[in-house]
Amino acid sequence: MRTSRHVERRTFLKAAGASLATVGLTAAGCGGGSGSAGGGPVTIRYAWWGADDRANRMNQAVALFEKKHPKIKVKTDFQPYVDFWKKFNTQAAGGNPPDVIQNAVTFLRKYEARNVLLDLKPQVQAGNLSTDNFRAGLEKFAEIDGKLLGLPVGSNSMGYIIDEKVYEKAGVTPEFGWTWDDWYAGLQKIKSRTGVAGDSGPHSIMYYYDLKLRQQGKAFFTENGLGFQESDLEAEWTEAMKRIRSGIYTDPKKAEQIKPKAATAGALSAGEFTWDNFTVRYAAEGKSSYGIAPIPTTDGKKTGQYLGSLMLSGTARTKHPKEVATFINFMVHDPEVGRIMGYDRGVLSTTEQFEAFEPTDKVSKQISAYETKIAESGVLEPITPHPAGADVIEAAFLRLATEMSLDKASPGEAVDKLFSEAKTAFTSNA
């Protein structure tokens, strides 16, 4: 059994590496950091987003770091996703950002252009940070124009999280290669047989819409702007409103009332699109049994999926770049941190942590099996570059789709506002 497991894991590394080797990002570099502190104890600030379960795991990992590095203290701060970036924008604009942040590809070009992020390459050259033993391709995930702006902590891909008990009761079985028509027919069957909304409503999820566009040979973003037309999104959102009114999608007012809990975890829907590693969240928040279903397709083959990654980045104004590098190095390489974090932020990025974490619970096994499946099936494609301003547009997409779903704007009005705000975002970040 042990031998079989490691063969499977080596197969996953090879398959994922082959896909990730094609992932490349190009952009301008950003500013470096200031000098490190002397020999006395120092305190660095670390901020991230997530739910309570992630915070509990993170605090355990930070405590372990402080135990092994007693001369470095870490002051932590975590917020829900939207609140995190609001706070960080204020801090960055005021010249007082945290020393280390959890980061994502959506924000690299924006903060690179503003010289907010620390180039970690000098710390690699000084021996304070290692880029060895990353799963193939991941070590360059945040390399921009020769500068290293972060190190990945895990990989993930979009999946479809389902309430397995509701699906079983309705007699619906998702399978790789199912089409959007198959998916919608399943939602209708779930609603009629169980009374539960089939889906929470994917209309506000930018990455869901990106997948649908990629299946059609398009993408949400090009290198310089949006990769779709107003008419494309208006048709998508008009259909979404019909499904809300029919009860196929969750009542948005009810979904808003239980936030930050997800609608599926709150038993308001049978499924929803999100990152595969978020299955951990559903198991912690919900009372049912949850699984990861494959992404529906247009042609039964092309899913439009890619591997993404959360990462840790230093900020350029830190007074302690050496300590920042020491902390990041520990968090991405230490085996015990891998065992603590599990797959909360994705399948672990370094071989030390990947091999240290033995998935024993159902959720982690599901995540590992899902990413192994999509890597081996050859559906993974290169990630679409995110231009500067992508984060503003993602927030606008979520806000405007929510307003539309609450009948505060028509689909056409919401689309017009999105394109207007996108034009402003691209101009101001140029």
Side-chain angles (χ1 to χ4, degrees):
M1 188 74 176
R2 178 76 176 177
T3 301
S4 173
R5 177 182 172 277
H6 279 283
V7 168
E8 177 184 318
R9 288 164 74 81
R10 286 195 298 272
T11 300
F12 170 68
L13 285 169
K14 181 178 179 181
S19 298
L20 285 167
T22 64
V23 174
L25 301 173
T26 56
C30 69
S34 56
S36 62
V42 300
T43 298
I44 60 174
R45 294 155 55 212
Y46 171 42
W48 73 91
W49 68 84
D52 289 342
D53 184 59
R54 177 176 294 174
N56 292 335
R57 294 171 185 266
M58 197 74 73
N59 286 331
Q60 291 179 52
V62 168
L64 180 65
F65 171 80
E66 291 181 329
K67 181 178 180 180
K68 294 189 176 183
H69 297 273
K71 289 190 176 182
I72 306 175
K73 302 300 178 185
V74 182
K75 184 177 180 181
T76 63
D77 181 25
F78 93 98
Q79 307 281 338
Y81 180 80
V82 174
D83 295 337
F84 171 90
W85 288 109
K86 286 181 180 178
K87 185 173 182 178
F88 181 71
N89 282 332
T90 300
Q91 292 171 324
N96 187 37
D99 299 275
V100 182
I101 62 166
Q102 181 174 282
N103 204 355
V105 67
T106 310
F107 302 91
L108 283 180
R109 292 187 176 187
K110 172 178 180 174
Y111 292 113
E112 168 273 325
R114 298 181 183 181
N115 293 327
V116 171
L117 301 179
L118 176 68
D119 180 9
L120 294 168
K121 235 170 198 182
Q123 296 301 320
V124 175
Q125 294 164 352
N128 300 321
L129 185 65
S130 173
T131 56
D132 294 336
N133 299 331
F134 278 85
R135 287 166 40 215
L138 280 176
E139 72 281 357
K140 294 185 180 294
F141 193 84
E143 190 169 295
I144 303 292
D145 231 16
K147 294 182 178 181
L148 186 63
L149 304 182
L151 285 184
V153 293
S155 69
N156 52 22
S157 188
M158 285 294 288
Y160 191 58
I161 310 301
I162 63 170
D163 184 321
E164 293 176 319
K165 293 182 180 179
V166 174
Y167 263 73
E168 182 179 356
K169 183 177 180 180
V172 178
T173 305
E175 296 178 348
F176 277 90
W178 65 335
T179 66
W180 291 107
D181 288 340
D182 296 332
W183 172 72
Y184 185 59
L187 302 190
Q188 293 176 307
K189 188 178 291 187
I190 288 168
K191 177 63 177 176
S192 65
R193 294 185 177 181
T194 70
V196 177
D199 188 272
S200 64
H203 48 279
S204 64
I205 304 170
M206 185 186 81
Y207 296 99
Y208 151 83
Y209 191 51
D210 186 34
L211 289 184
K212 292 201 73 175
L213 290 168
R214 287 165 66 92
Q215 290 180 15
Q216 301 166 32
K218 303 178 182 180
F220 194 96
F221 291 116
T222 66
E223 290 189 9
N224 302 308
L226 297 177
F228 57 96
Q229 303 298 317
E230 290 96 326
S231 57
D232 296 327
L233 182 57
E234 185 170 356
E236 177 74 28
W237 277 357
T238 298
E239 179 61 28
M241 289 302 297
K242 292 179 181 178
R243 295 178 182 186
I244 289 172
R245 291 176 180 133
S246 70
I248 297 297
Y249 288 171
T250 300
D251 181 342
K253 293 180 181 178
K254 293 182 179 179
E256 286 292 313
Q257 289 171 356
I258 69 168
K259 285 185 176 179
K261 179 181 285 190
T264 299
L268 295 180
S269 69
E272 54 196 11
F273 292 89
T274 189
W275 298 106
D276 56 13
N277 61 297
F278 281 12
T279 312
V280 175
R281 170 187 176 185
Y282 290 79
E285 290 182 350
K287 296 180 180 180
S288 190
S289 173
Y290 307 95
I292 312 173
I295 298 293
T297 65
T298 300
D299 62 0
K301 298 177 182 179
K302 182 181 175 70
T303 67
Q305 287 173 277
Y306 51 84
L307 288 184
S309 178
L310 293 180
M311 65 194 78
L312 297 184
S313 295
T315 56
R317 284 183 174 268
T318 182
K319 297 178 180 179
H320 311 293
K322 179 179 179 181
E323 287 77 10
V324 163
T326 301
F327 177 71
I328 292 176
N329 195 69
F330 183 85
M331 297 297 279
V332 300
H333 286 286
D334 186 83
E336 183 58 27
V337 171
R339 285 189 283 268
I340 291 171
M341 296 306 301
Y343 292 161
D344 175 77
R345 297 174 298 178
V347 177
L348 295 156
S349 62
T350 59
T351 55
E352 297 101 320
Q353 293 190 349
F354 186 83
E355 291 295 340
F357 178 62
E358 299 276 350
T360 56
D361 62 286
K362 175 187 174 183
V363 174
S364 295
K365 287 180 178 180
Q366 284 178 329
I367 296 169
S368 181
Y370 179 74
E371 290 213 6
T372 298
K373 175 71 174 179
I374 61 176
E376 291 178 341
S377 65
V379 300
L380 293 172
E381 303 172 0
I383 190 172
T384 306
H386 288 188
D391 61 312
V392 176
I393 295 161
E394 180 181 357
F397 190 90
L398 171 61
R399 171 173 51 80
L400 292 169
T402 301
E403 289 179 2
M404 176 196 69
S405 68
L406 295 171
D407 288 321
K408 295 180 179 179
S410 69
E413 290 169 339
V415 170
D416 287 344
K417 288 181 181 179
L418 178 70
F419 272 75
S420 176
E421 292 185 28
K423 183 178 179 181
T424 300
F426 288 135
T427 301
S428 62
N429 284 278

